[in-house]
Structures are given as C-alpha cells and as structure tokens.
Amino acid sequence: MNVFRILGDLSHLLAMILLLGKIWRSKCCKGISGKSQILFALVFTTRYLDLFTNFISIYNTVMKVVFLLCAYVTVYMIYGKFRKTFDSENDTFRLEFLLVPVIGLSFLENYSFTLLEILWTFSIYLESVAILPQLFMISKTGEAETITTHYLFFLGLYRALYLANWIRRYQTENFYDQIAVVSGVVQTIFYCDFFYLYVTKGRSWDDSNADTGLRSYSSI
C-alpha cells in the first residue's frame, strides 16, 4: 500500500458514488451507458472471486464488497428502477466486439492456466475497455451531463494514480505486473482526449449550459 494506491481507490469509489448519486437524485439515467456499467459489474465479479478464498486485509475486503454493491446497484437502477429514463437508443455499442477478443486474450496471455487466474486476467483486460460504450454514447449524442463528465474524470484519475502506484511499487518493492500495467496504460490512453477537454473546456461548458446541465462533447 502507498499513497497513490489509496488515492486511486478513493478516486474510483468517488466516481461510482457520484454516478449513483446522480441517478438517485434525478431519478433519471439519461446519458449513462448501461452497457459500460454491465461491463464494470462483470469486471468486479470476475476479479473479486478471491473474496471466498483469500483474506488480505479488512481494507481490501471492504473495498471489494463496496465496489461490487455499487456496480450492481447502478445496473439495477438503469435496467430496473429507472429503466423508463434509460436512453437505450443511443447505447448501441456492440459488446461482442469487446468480449470476444478479451476472452480470447485471457486464455492466451495469463500467469497460470487456472480458473481463478483466467477470470482475474479477463477482468484486467475487460476493465481497460469497459468505458468504451460510455465514450461511444457521448460521441454519438454529442453531449454529456455535468455529473457524467465528473464521473469520467475521476475514473480517469483513478487509472492515472494506479500507474503512479505501479511505478512506486517497482521502485520500492521491485514488483512489476506486466498484464496490469499494460492494460492500465491502454485504459488511461482512452481518457486522454476526455482529460484535455475536461480541463480546458469544463468551466466554459458549465457556464454556458448552467440551465440544462449538458455539455457539448462531439469531439470524441
């Protein structure tokens, strides 16, 4: 554990809480990709199966349970409680384009050919591309609610902090997880354009769209 890992976890948790809070307060799922949320729920499910086999620390266990709960509550709100507000017409990314290559890569590139290890590897690869349906949806509609951009910002910050965590671990522990690092770099790259727009145009979007709560995002 180091400060980058803790800050990364907190940033990740904040992103999920912001999204849940947005849905609950507005009673609306407009602008949120249900497909991305399904993928994230699948990521946490396949990664945290070791909850039943290994105990690392109270912090580790609590964070895993919270992430799982947040992920499945979000999916339930989108496809259950507030399904009438879900913009399914614009959430059209073909998940098989992600799942098929990720599954294949998980069997080809892993640390050991066991069920738990393959599922863990699958979760790492899948997380690197799970945000693509959300980015595709924003690109298709050309707009995003303010809170959705904050959610994406903190998700991107989480990945950036984890890259710093891996660098720190390599310096202090001589530890290097090639699968996690490469996948994390790929995932961070997907956020680069979003980060640039968030930092350079975020304030002007907030001011010009104060009444609607929407931002133009057609450049993705």
Side-chain angles (χ1 to χ4, degrees):
M1 294 293 291
N2 58 65
V3 65
F4 299 113
R5 163 72 183 276
I6 295 173
L7 290 176
D9 288 343
L10 293 178
S11 179
H12 196 179
L13 181 60
L14 179 58
M16 300 178 75
I17 291 174
L18 282 173
L19 189 64
L20 275 173
K22 180 267 178 188
I23 297 173
W24 184 256
R25 288 194 303 271
S26 66
K27 312 298 181 185
C28 178
C29 302
K30 180 178 174 60
I32 300 172
S33 169
K35 291 186 176 181
S36 268
Q37 297 309 311
I38 287 175
L39 293 181
F40 281 123
L42 186 57
V43 165
F44 297 137
T45 301
T46 53
R47 183 175 303 171
Y48 297 154
L49 289 174
D50 63 351
L51 276 171
F52 301 101
T53 59
N54 298 319
F55 176 79
I56 299 175
S57 67
I58 294 178
Y59 170 85
N60 183 275
T61 298
V62 169
M63 292 298 279
K64 288 179 178 179
V65 171
V66 170
F67 285 164
L68 282 166
L69 287 175
C70 287
Y72 277 98
V73 170
T74 302
V75 171
Y76 165 72
M77 286 186 175
I78 294 173
Y79 290 101
K81 190 173 182 64
F82 304 121
R83 64 183 179 278
K84 292 182 180 179
T85 67
F86 172 52
D87 187 10
S88 59
E89 292 183 359
N90 288 313
D91 193 16
T92 57
F93 193 96
R94 300 277 297 274
L95 293 187
E96 60 266 30
F97 290 163
L98 301 179
L99 290 173
V100 171
V102 165
I103 292 172
L105 190 59
S106 301
F107 279 92
L108 293 174
E109 293 291 335
N110 53 68
Y111 291 125
S112 65
F113 204 77
T114 63
L115 179 61
L116 285 181
E117 188 64 30
I118 291 173
L119 289 174
W120 178 87
T121 305
F122 168 83
S123 77
I124 297 296
Y125 292 146
L126 183 60
E127 187 182 16
S128 69
V129 296
I131 200 61
L132 288 182
Q134 179 68 66
L135 297 179
F136 179 80
M137 187 178 187
I138 294 175
S139 177
K140 186 176 181 180
T141 61
E143 59 185 25
E145 291 192 19
T146 300
I147 197 67
T148 305
T149 61
H150 293 334
Y151 162 73
L152 290 171
F153 173 80
F154 282 106
L155 272 186
L157 181 61
Y158 143 67
R159 294 315 313 179
L161 287 167
Y162 255 64
L163 289 179
N165 163 60
W166 291 322
I167 293 172
R168 182 60 177 169
R169 291 194 66 183
Y170 182 74
Q171 292 174 337
T172 60
E173 306 172 31
N174 198 31
F175 175 83
Y176 176 73
D177 187 327
Q178 182 176 343
I179 290 176
V181 171
V182 172
S183 299
V185 170
V186 170
Q187 185 178 359
T188 304
I189 289 172
F190 288 136
Y191 289 96
C192 286
D193 180 57
F194 170 78
F195 268 128
Y196 174 76
L197 292 175
Y198 184 95
V199 172
T200 60
K201 297 184 178 181
R203 186 172 297 278
S204 63
W205 285 337
D206 282 338
D207 294 339
S208 62
N209 297 289
D211 295 332
T212 63
L214 297 177
R215 297 178 175 176
S216 170
Y217 202 67
S218 57
S219 63
I220 290 183

